[in-house]
Amino acid sequence: MGELVEQLRRELDRYSPGEKLPSSRALVERFRVSPVTVSRALAHLAAEGLVVTRPGAGAFRARPSRTVAAREGDTSWQEVALSADGAADLVPRSVDASGVTVSLAAPPPGVIEFNGGYLHPSLQPERAMSAALARAGRRPGAWGRPPMEGLPELREWFARSLGGSVGAAEVLVSAGGQTALTTALRALAPPGAPVLVESPTYPGMLAIARSAGLRPVPVPVDRDGVKPELLADAFRATGARVFVCQPLFQNPTGAVLAPARRGEVLRIAREAGAFVVEDDFVRRLAHEDAGPLPRPLAADDPDGVVVHVGSLTKATSPSFRVSALAARGPVLERLRAIQVVDTFFVPRPLQEAALELVGSPAWPRHLRAIAAELRARRDAMTAALALRLPELALPHVPSGGYHLWLRLPDGTDEGALTAAALRAGVALTPGRPYFSAEPPAAHVRLSFAAVAGTEEIAEGVRRLRAACDEVIGESVRHPVPDL
């Protein structure tokens, strides 16, 4: 559909505003596509304000919008309303989605997607998902109202995948990892409170915290995960009651929390009277050479310190938004109440489809296939970077996940490099949004999951070499002075 949209967009200049476009039948015959594809393409252009569709009449080029000063209105009052906190001690809330949209927005045609946060369509189990959805739709009661906590069988499946002593009664089905993280932070910390976060960390979590009026406090990580002594210091200094972490294949560093640190993190949080929110987002994206994975922190937590978030989305499709929250004790009821208020429940057909998918023979085959493919892509990207861009430091090669975290030479302007890379035809993610405070150095994150294959990885690194030649050499020769 994307190619048809681009073709129609280019041809709009042939028509005067208000002039009728060719009929859907004519477009079907000309471009040899289905009527559904034509309909979706026209709807896409209509959403952009370029086309107007009239039932029974056809599609027309939209007329330029007329701005009438007398009708523009004055929305400046909203700046006061949106920034009024109602209490002097609350942290002003801000909603900055830029760190999230950089990995959600599709790049322009022809641009290689090193900034993607999901599997390329060729890696997604589309056939298995379609079959699962079809079977789910035929289940008795599939379109009825599900239990608010989620289907019992799906809760049981998530509980088994956690291992340990976590039971189905301690699991809530949620609508994707981002929703589950939002629910957890709302349940555990009041507005104005500090929340400890790994540094660097996932920008979407920082956005959740800030939009809820929380104060993210960074705790540095190395290749073995968060540093326990600094975590203990941060709890003492701030009085925080929440620590959010990704113990397995951390985003963006790819670090795995070392065995010796796992118990320490739980002990430190328990002594501080605090919760650990465990974002276990890519457990199902381990590479072929990963070896046995450590159990989730929640599996070794009898005291209810851990609130666990697990998801099926990263291993399937961005639209397959099924996840789970797991917790013990009174906090579970608070999580449940907030989730019910926010979303009522996850649509039953999607839950039924998830059950069909994970219970099918196609599911383990899919996991094995992406484990092998992600390893091949990771190796292709690390080899290409070593050959063409040796000045970019790669301190850790992960055995899971879908990205590499690279340190840029001192003095490099991340923004300038990101812009130059886009001009060269490759989209990447700057490192600044991953830090809740001043970053120690310039970084970029490169994804190898959202591209078509290893050939595209090689071409993307070649283009990135051209961008680095344009930016890095200049910035190193003329470093930005310290302020």
Side-chain angles (χ1 to χ4, degrees), residues 110-423:
V111 173
I112 293 175
E113 193 173 358
F114 278 176
N115 63 330
Y118 297 99
L119 297 178
H120 187 269
S122 64
L123 297 182
Q124 296 173 18
E126 290 187 353
R127 185 172 300 176
M129 288 189 296
S130 296
L133 192 60
R135 292 194 301 271
R138 295 193 294 269
R139 286 189 172 196
W143 293 94
R145 183 176 63 190
M148 289 180 289
E149 299 84 357
L151 296 179
E153 303 92 333
L154 188 56
R155 297 167 70 195
E156 174 64 27
W157 183 85
F158 274 114
R160 289 198 309 271
S161 68
L162 282 174
S165 59
V166 177
E170 297 163 326
V171 173
L172 303 173
V173 177
S174 187
Q178 188 77 356
T179 298
L181 285 172
T182 302
T183 298
L185 286 183
R186 284 185 59 196
L188 302 176
V195 56
L196 305 187
V197 300
E198 294 173 315
S199 182
T201 191
Y202 166 52
M205 192 278 299
L206 294 177
I208 292 170
R210 289 171 177 146
S211 67
L214 305 177
R215 293 189 290 114
V217 177
V219 184
V221 301
D222 58 22
R223 63 182 302 157
D224 291 324
V226 68
K227 298 180 179 181
E229 66 278 10
L230 296 182
L231 179 64
D233 291 343
F235 273 125
R236 284 192 296 268
T238 64
R241 293 293 180 265
V242 181
F243 169 51
V244 185
C245 64
Q246 295 175 327
L248 186 65
F249 310 133
Q250 196 256 1
N251 183 9
T253 66
V256 176
L257 187 62
R261 295 185 180 184
R262 290 168 56 87
E264 277 292 282
V265 167
L266 294 181
R267 180 189 62 79
I268 290 167
R270 180 69 182 85
E271 291 179 356
F275 289 96
V276 173
V277 178
E278 178 185 26
D279 182 12
D280 200 17
F281 72 116
V282 285
R283 179 165 292 271
R284 296 170 183 88
L285 292 187
H287 301 168
E288 195 175 42
D289 58 349
L293 300 183
R295 301 201 305 176
L297 294 179
D300 301 315
D301 167 43
D303 299 326
V305 172
V306 178
V307 173
H308 177 92
V309 176
S311 176
L312 290 173
T313 304
K314 290 295 186 185
T316 54
S317 158
S319 289
F320 204 84
R321 306 205 64 76
V322 178
S323 64
L325 278 161
R328 286 189 173 98
V331 70
L332 182 64
E333 179 55 33
R334 182 177 291 187
L335 292 167
R336 174 185 175 277
I338 290 176
Q339 180 164 288
V340 168
V341 168
D342 283 351
T343 61
F344 288 2
F345 45 76
V346 176
R348 182 161 187 158
L350 195 55
Q351 293 191 56
E352 298 279 8
L355 271 174
E356 289 283 353
L357 177 64
V358 300
S360 71
W363 180 242
R365 289 199 301 267
H366 167 64
L367 295 182
R368 288 193 297 270
I370 58 173
E373 182 62 24
L374 289 177
R375 177 189 180 181
R377 290 168 175 233
R378 178 205 66 193
D379 291 347
M381 181 171 278
T382 54
L385 290 168
L387 177 65
R388 291 187 177 272
L389 288 161
E391 67 269 39
L392 304 190
L394 178 60
H396 176 61
V397 178
S399 57
Y402 52 89
H403 56 262
L404 301 178
W405 181 242
L406 298 157
R407 176 168 173 161
L408 304 177
D410 292 344
T412 303
D413 185 328
E414 282 181 12
L417 178 59
T418 301
L422 194 58
R423 290 194 298 271

Side-chain angles (χ1 to χ4, degrees), residues 82-115:
L82 291 174
S83 61
D85 300 312
D89 59 340
L90 294 185
V91 176
R93 292 188 301 167
S94 61
V95 184
D96 181 4
S98 59
V100 181
T101 55
V102 70
S103 62
L104 291 178
V111 173
I112 293 175
E113 193 173 358
F114 278 176
N115 63 330

Side-chain angles (χ1 to χ4, degrees), residues 437-448:
E438 292 76 14
H443 293 81
V444 292
R445 196 194 77 160
L446 303 184
S447 169
F448 47 80

